[in-house]
Amino acid sequence: MGLLTVVELSAGPRAGLLPLLSLGPAFAGLVGGLRRTAAIGVLAVALCVLLGAYDGLFPGRGFLALACVAGVGAAGLAATALRQRREAELASVRSVAEVAQRVLLRPVPRRAGHLRVAVSYTSAAAEARIGGDLYEVVTSPGGARVIVGDVQGKGLEAVETAAVVLGAFREAAPDEPDLSSVSARLERALNRHLSGEEFVTAVLAEIREDRTVTLLNYGHPAPLVLRAGGTVTFAEPPEPAPPLGLAGIAPKGPVPFQLALYPGDQVLLYTDGVCEARDRSQGFYPLRDRAFLLDNPDPDAALEALGKDLQKHVEGPLGDDAAMLLLRYRQHD
């Protein structure tokens, strides 16, 4: 507006630039508040009147320019009011999402028996806090039971299914005698909820006081096992099994298998948003090669470093939700 004023004073009435003063209130409506937009609109109208009078455009073209500037100023005020209302609604939705996250993905215990636990969750949607990935750790006198899973699909339906799985797991994990009984409870809960060919991939783990880990894998990426000596392996199931919710394909379910943990060993459970993250050349994230990032003495810092490396690999926002849960067998009790 200042530049237009200088040009108009220099060029005179032949320039015909007065209607362009409406750019001031137009841009103010995009970023400013109501008071600022109104003040800039009043300033634009005042400049239009003064410059039009100076150039002798009243009556005539001056009224047309004044109507243009005043009309855009009024439209800017209306746009500002609408934008602020939507911003308030978005803030309210975000607050609800944060509460939902605390209920659905509540903080896991930092210590579970001989284990130290850390968790990381990154939603693929920039404005979202929660999605279809899920995790939980339930402690008991005999050890801890863990689940990490991924619901097919996205959006509110995926969140609802994740809530069903987590609710059933939290209820069953402290009471059932073994993981197979826990998974049977999950299947029954999902059968009441799911329809069609929907499913949930998941890994269930039971870590006992004798350092043995029992795993049940329902079509989920195999956990990464990082030994204290630096050896990296994947805990592949002995036989493939379908995801939760598709029990009709294989009624017997997955075969439980075990591994032993020793002080300093780590187990990383994760969703396919981690291992299937692609770079610009469509290369998958090399999780095995990046396992050294978990050597940080602080489990939370280790997961943070791995998460940053994952985002560096994709060079942008993730294409899918990514959940990681790290279990570290403590060196000292």
Side-chain angles (χ1 to χ4, degrees):
M1 289 166 58
L3 178 61
L4 287 171
T5 300
V6 172
V7 173
E8 181 69 21
L9 290 174
S10 302
R14 294 181 181 180
L17 299 179
L18 286 185
L20 292 181
L21 289 170
S22 61
L23 291 175
F27 282 108
L30 296 176
V31 296
L34 285 173
R35 290 185 178 180
R36 181 185 179 191
T37 303
I40 293 177
V42 170
L43 177 60
V45 169
L47 286 174
C48 185
V49 171
L50 292 175
L51 291 174
Y54 178 80
D55 292 335
L57 297 178
F58 294 107
R61 286 189 301 162
F63 285 113
L64 180 61
L66 182 61
C68 179
V69 174
V72 174
L77 281 173
T80 301
L82 181 60
R83 174 174 54 81
Q84 289 185 332
R85 187 177 68 182
R86 289 180 176 176
E87 289 175 350
E89 292 175 351
L90 179 58
S92 177
V93 170
R94 285 177 174 173
S95 299
V96 173
E98 291 174 357
V99 174
Q101 183 189 36
R102 289 195 293 269
V103 174
L104 182 60
L105 298 178
R106 62 191 185 188
V108 299
R110 295 302 182 186
R111 296 180 183 272
H114 295 286
L115 299 174
R116 294 185 64 188
V117 184
V119 67
S120 170
Y121 185 92
T122 303
S123 175
E127 299 297 337
R129 298 291 193 272
I130 53 179
D133 288 3
L134 57 96
Y135 56 82
E136 183 59 287
V137 177
V138 176
T139 59
S140 65
R145 286 175 173 171
V146 178
I147 184 172
V148 171
D150 186 1
V151 179
Q152 177 208 27
K154 301 181 183 297
L156 294 178
E157 291 184 358
V159 175
E160 183 180 0
T161 302
V164 170
V165 174
L166 288 173
F169 181 79
R170 289 164 181 163
E171 182 180 355
D175 300 329
E176 297 294 342
D178 52 48
L179 280 185
S180 296
S181 301
V182 174
S183 64
R185 293 269 292 271
L186 299 184
E187 285 282 8
R188 290 196 294 270
L190 282 172
N191 288 337
R192 292 191 297 267
H193 173 75
L194 296 180
S195 61
E197 298 181 354
E198 298 170 331
F199 57 84
V200 179
T201 68
V203 171
L204 280 71
E206 181 180 63
I207 303 94
R208 304 188 64 83
E209 293 292 336
D210 60 2
R211 302 198 313 268
T212 60
V213 180
T214 302
L215 295 168
L216 279 177
N217 193 318
Y218 287 86
H220 199 77
L224 181 142
V225 181
L226 178 61
R227 299 295 182 181
T231 304
V232 180
T233 59
F234 288 97
E236 298 284 354
E239 297 179 11
L244 291 165
L246 299 179
I249 298 177
K252 293 183 179 180
V255 177
F257 61 104
Q258 291 186 337
L259 56 90
L261 289 182
Y262 299 94
D265 289 349
Q266 303 181 80
V267 178
L268 178 69
L269 294 92
Y270 53 92
T271 58
D272 58 8
V274 177
C275 59
E276 295 182 2
R278 298 173 183 259
D279 58 15
R280 292 186 178 180
S281 61
Q282 299 302 304
F284 290 115
Y285 181 67
L287 182 58
R288 181 194 292 268
D289 297 337
R290 297 295 194 271
F292 68 90
L293 294 171
L294 299 176
D295 288 339
N296 192 302
D298 183 359
D300 293 297
L303 277 190
E304 182 180 358
L306 191 62
K308 289 181 178 179
D309 189 69
L310 178 64
Q311 293 183 339
K312 182 180 178 181
H313 175 79
V314 301
E315 300 181 30
L318 299 179
D320 193 6
D321 299 337
M324 295 183 288
L325 192 146
L326 182 63
L327 305 173
R328 177 177 294 177
Y329 198 95
R330 289 186 284 163
Q331 294 278 8
H332 304 287
D333 295 340

